[in-house]
Amino acid sequence: MFFNSFYYFVFLGVTFVLFYSFKKYRWFILFLASLFFIGTISPNLIFFALLFSILNYFLGISLETTKNKVYKKRIFWLGISLDIGLLASFKYINFVFENLNFILRLFPEVASIPYINIIVPLGISYYTFQALGYLIRINRGAEKAEHNFGIFATYLLFFPKFLSGPVERSNHFFPQINSSLDFQKDNISTGLRLFLWGMFKKDVIGNNLAGPVMLVYGDVENYHGIPLIIVFLLQTVHLYCDFSGYTDMALGSARIFGIQLGDNFNRPFFAKNVGEFWRRWHISLSSWCNDFIFTPFIVKYRKLKNKAAILGIFITFFVIGIWHGAKWTFVILGILQGIAISYEFYTKRKRITLAKKLQKKWVVFFSRIFTFLFFCLTLIFFNANSVSDAFYYITHLFSGIEWKFSGHDLVYDKNSFIVGIVGFLFIFIIEYFNEQGEDLMKKFIHLPLLVRWTGYYALIILIYLYGGGDEAFVYLKF
């Protein structure tokens, strides 16, 4: 049951009615709804998710109540080890075996390690990071443990963010769910607008631009030149509309119940460097890594000065890369981001000096173009099935510039594809004005009722006519 399915609309509607019908039990309705939502994906997943929640619930309480510093430290590291160990066991164990077997092939007399037939629980990367942040904050004394198990489990398993985030902070979530969560018309209207906007991004743009991206990366050696160039530029737009579309639907679903989740995107295409890009893209993950990995690392090793900062950058982006999956392509993705941000760190003064000698508008323009192209380059490793596929893509990007598809059409439904492109240009224009300080959404909601509902119905009609199939959300696999 995914956000853009009919069953989800029914589920959301029933949950809405129950939620606002029982004021004293609203958190409990969300808890049960989250378990039901998870159960529609897999009944076994409910069992694992509850066990994971119980484990971290008691770890959090033990951390808060234990006064002995030695025991407290042991509990903390036990919790961190168990959470990371569970994540690693499900997500990375076969990756480790695969690389060990690669080495063992050099020794024919040594038997290879058999792979484990294991199913990775959906959403595990998201709620593991949320649990880790929760335990770290309690250990720091920055937060009290939540003693209501249902409320704590809802924090980890809350259905709008369960599958693909955002990676919510406990100190942001608990005060909201512990409040009265009264019915407010603005929350309902804002939530529905966000959900509709996200569905437009995902179904009309993301799904319709997914075809060429999936086609090329599914058989990359069958293409070269112009098809690769088109997908090179298209893949970032596709991923942005797919993932930010999911995020908007998640935020909209939560807002209906009076809960504001943290946003994941802030107009990333207007970033002027890679560092700024990561403050605008997948914000919940990058800020989590900044607060719980990078900052503690450079504080602990501050005597190393710049070396600590550079090493901290690479460790942080290694985690961001491998967080996405157990593949060397994701490791390279993280390393490339680390190299770029380290370069920006060391050349900041020189770049500022050079920029002062040039016209500001051109500096901003080309900075944004270079940042966008760099991210497109790194997304080759994000989308490629293997490192060899990624290097084939890069080395054949400008090879044989001609329209040659070897019997394949790059775009199956050209009308829907054009609508997707136009839809993205529409979003880009809106974000451009927002970047200039013009809050177009605020202006839109103050327009006459007829104008607003014309806009809503236009989006609904576009979704109905051009919703590009039932492509799964890209970030479900993480």
Side-chain angles (χ1 to χ4, degrees), residues 39 60 115 117 168 307 428 438 444:
Y115 295 126
N117 187 15
E168 188 67 14
K307 292 180 181 178
F428 185 84
E438 298 284 341
F444 174 78

Side-chain angles (χ1 to χ4, degrees), residues 267 270 368 427-438:
R267 302 184 293 276
F270 295 93
R368 287 171 173 167
I427 288 175
F428 185 84
I429 291 169
I430 290 174
E431 293 193 353
Y432 172 79
F433 283 104
N434 288 342
E435 187 71 13
Q436 305 304 311
E438 298 284 341

